[in-house]
Amino acid sequence: MSDYQVNNPATGEVEATYPTATEQEIQQVIEKADNAYQDWRHVSLNERSALLHKIADSYLERQDELSRIVANEMGKPVAQAKGEIGLVADIYRYYADNAEQLLAPSTIDVDSGSASVEKHPVGALLGIMPWNYPHYQVARFVAPNFMAGNTIILKHAPQCPKTAEIIVDIFKDAGVPEGVYNNIFATNEQSATIINDTRVQGISLTGSERAGQAVAKEAGGALKKVVLELGGSDAFIVAADADIEQAIQGAISGRFGNTGQACNAAKRLIIIESVYDKFVEGFTAVVNGITLTDPLNEDTFMGPMSSKAAAVNLQAQLDSAIQAGATVLVEGGMVKDKPGAWFAPAVLTDVTESMDVYREELFGPVAVIYKANDIEHAIKIANDVPFGLGASIQTQDAALAAEIADKLEVGMVTINAPSGSEANTPFGGVKRSGFGRELGTLGITEFLNYKLIRDKS
């Protein structure tokens, strides 16, 4: 049976299966992407921009349809899926409108003659994308590279094959030339084949640490550049002067949006001692009121997790923490009397450094609350993990926010709101959260040939 299938996490039913690619199909896709690059690199920015605007239009026109498919494939509530589709359109429009400026050559002051650096595409690229934001993750990789003149081979997550096919249709209907954007239902072994093919010039992966290690190893052996956006265990720091009601609402959306399945979710809530009790009382009251409902309902905030396997893994982490002595403030966990991958939100405290979960990523609706003696203690807790993706700071003191942000070992800091993503701001982290950046002005820089033109005449 193929790994690529729609296994509805709300019902547990397999709704469709898709065959994995043959070895011949793998070679055909690589050849198509490489051949298309020879022409695509010379297509004008105006033509590429017009195509991206058509793609953005299509996303907005098909927003309801695309959102319902996402809900069926990985359980995201349709209202949140619509938000994702809107962001996708923003990303395509951002690069359509700004690529000319972002790709413009730069001049260098030299003693004699002239020198400039031109920005050229490099060729066919492989993108390996996850299931949790099946349109957004693709867009932030594809949009800048599409405008740069690279071509794309896209391996989507096995949970989202229908979404993968629809993205192909959107590009085709917009008039994108054949071979510029290619979907492939590849196995992990076939992905390694693609990485090692000399016609493929770079790889971008968003996924787990384990996947990142495997891809980086293959890419390193093949001397290929790779961008990795991996896991996170983002801190959500609440200072003594914070607006507590605002902080509670931010923590709820930041931790439990997309059923907690986001790399930059607010996984660790670090609360200054003087406001700890007030925050915990309000936060747990809201969590206790969260109900799990059909992701196809417009008013659903939390649906199922993406898969039964993901829920089982999270339950094992939750059980491990409790057995090691963590205190349960809200008892959640797998819902055993419903089919599918339903997982009620849980809240823990008293998680200590001796517990495995202290430094693990909890990729689902489990919040861990820490009490900090002061700001320096909060920063220490925030940095004491192997991840460094993002963090959020809740304070009304701009100087304090700047001081905390300066000391956090992360790639992104958000003040007085949960971490998020915007088309025009860079996304990425440090430490075991990966390397490289997507989106914003930096997102188009990763897979370019910066060609020096030095005239000494």
Side-chain angles (χ1 to χ4, degrees):
M1 183 174 65
S2 171
D3 289 335
Y4 287 82
Q5 58 183 26
V6 179
N7 189 338
N8 190 323
T11 65
E13 296 178 357
V14 176
E15 297 182 351
T17 61
Y18 294 73
T20 52
T22 64
E23 296 305 317
Q24 182 180 11
E25 288 171 333
I26 294 292
Q27 292 303 317
Q28 288 172 341
V29 164
I30 297 172
E31 184 175 4
K32 281 172 58 179
D34 182 55
N35 287 342
Y37 168 69
Q38 308 309 323
D39 294 324
W40 182 245
R41 62 188 300 186
H42 301 299
V43 171
S44 73
L45 285 173
N46 285 339
E47 292 178 74
R48 295 179 205 158
S49 175
L51 290 170
L52 271 198
H53 275 295
K54 287 183 181 179
I55 290 166
D57 290 343
S58 182
Y59 264 99
L60 295 179
E61 291 164 3
R62 302 178 68 172
Q63 193 172 36
D64 288 345
E65 172 200 2
L66 300 177
S67 299
R68 292 180 69 84
I69 291 169
V70 168
N72 279 333
E73 287 187 314
M74 53 74 59
K76 180 177 295 179
V78 288
Q80 296 175 31
K82 288 180 181 178
E84 177 183 346
I85 299 304
L87 178 56
V88 166
D90 288 345
I91 291 169
Y92 283 125
R93 293 202 196 285
Y94 171 77
Y95 283 107
D97 292 338
N98 292 282
E100 183 174 7
Q101 175 186 348
L102 297 175
L103 294 170
S106 58
T107 59
I108 302 172
D109 289 334
V110 289
D111 292 336
S112 62
S114 64
S116 63
V117 175
E118 296 179 351
K119 300 167 186 176
H120 294 269
V122 294
L125 306 175
L126 171 65
I128 302 174
M129 296 295 117
W131 47 263
N132 58 335
Y133 291 90
H135 288 283
Y136 157 72
Q137 305 279 11
V138 171
R140 71 185 195 184
F141 164 60
V142 171
N145 288 300
F146 182 99
M147 288 305 300
N150 297 314
T151 56
I152 304 297
I153 301 169
L154 203 294
K155 177 193 181 299
H156 220 311
Q159 289 104 313
C160 303
K162 192 167 185 179
T163 290
E165 287 197 329
I166 284 179
I167 295 173
V168 172
D169 290 342
I170 289 173
F171 274 71
K172 183 177 180 180
D173 292 346
V176 175
E178 184 179 5
V180 171
Y181 180 89
N182 309 272
N183 176 68
I184 190 72
F185 292 141
T187 65
N188 291 340
E189 293 75 18
Q190 289 171 329
S191 295
T193 297
I194 298 171
I195 291 169
N196 283 281
D197 193 289
T198 56
R199 293 166 292 184
V200 174
Q201 302 302 315
I203 305 94
S204 180
L205 173 134
T206 298
S208 67
E209 283 184 86
R210 185 174 64 178
Q213 288 172 324
V215 167
K217 183 178 180 180
E218 289 291 341
L223 295 178
K224 304 283 179 70
K225 181 172 183 179
V226 61
V227 169
L228 299 179
E229 198 276 279
L230 308 178
S233 190
D234 287 16
F236 186 95
I237 298 173
V238 180
D241 72 326
D243 180 328
I244 297 301
E245 290 305 315
Q246 176 182 297
I248 289 170
Q249 291 305 313
I252 291 293
S253 62
R255 172 65 285 205
F256 299 116
N258 200 25
T259 317
Q261 300 167 120
C263 53
N264 63 333
K267 300 185 176 77
R268 297 177 299 136
L269 312 179
I270 304 171
I271 319 301
I272 297 300
E273 187 174 20
S274 61
V275 294
Y276 179 86
D277 290 341
K278 182 178 181 181
F279 178 90
V280 168
E281 180 182 4
F283 181 77
T284 55
V286 177
V287 176
N288 277 315
I290 294 175
T291 56
L292 305 179
T293 49
D294 186 346
L296 292 174
N297 291 341
E298 289 285 347
D299 58 353
T300 291
F301 172 65
M302 186 178 296
M305 291 187 66
S306 65
S307 68
K308 189 70 170 287
V312 168
N313 181 66
L314 185 63
Q315 184 66 56
Q317 291 178 292
L318 178 59
D319 292 343
S320 172
I322 295 170
Q323 290 166 8
T327 299
V328 179
L329 298 181
V330 176
E331 184 178 357
M334 291 181 66
V335 180
K336 297 181 180 178
D337 61 351
K338 294 180 70 172
W342 298 90
F343 197 106
V347 181
L348 299 177
T349 190
D350 298 321
V351 169
T352 65
E353 296 179 27
S354 63
M355 302 177 189
D356 290 341
V357 75
Y358 182 84
R359 292 184 176 86
E360 291 177 341
E361 179 180 25
L362 293 168
F363 208 72
V366 177
V368 180
I369 304 180
Y370 295 87
K371 182 189 293 185
N373 301 330
D374 52 31
I375 288 297
E376 289 302 318
H377 187 209
I379 294 169
K380 181 179 182 300
I381 295 170
N383 288 337
D384 194 21
V385 291
F387 302 101
L389 187 56
S392 180
I393 303 166
Q394 314 301 305
T395 178
Q396 299 179 70
D397 184 335
L400 179 62
E403 177 187 346
I404 297 170
D406 183 62
K407 295 178 180 179
L408 292 173
E409 298 168 355
V410 298
M412 305 175 288
V413 178
T414 305
I415 299 167
N416 289 325
S419 297
S421 181
E422 299 168 276
N424 59 348
T425 59
F427 191 105
V430 295
K431 300 197 283 190
R432 295 187 72 85
S433 290
F435 41 80
R437 291 295 184 270
E438 295 180 298
L439 298 178
T441 58
L442 301 181
I444 203 166
T445 66
E446 295 289 352
F447 296 103
L448 292 175
N449 172 16
Y450 291 86
K451 184 183 293 184
L452 171 67
I453 307 297
R454 179 71 167 100
D455 186 347
K456 292 190 176 184
S457 59

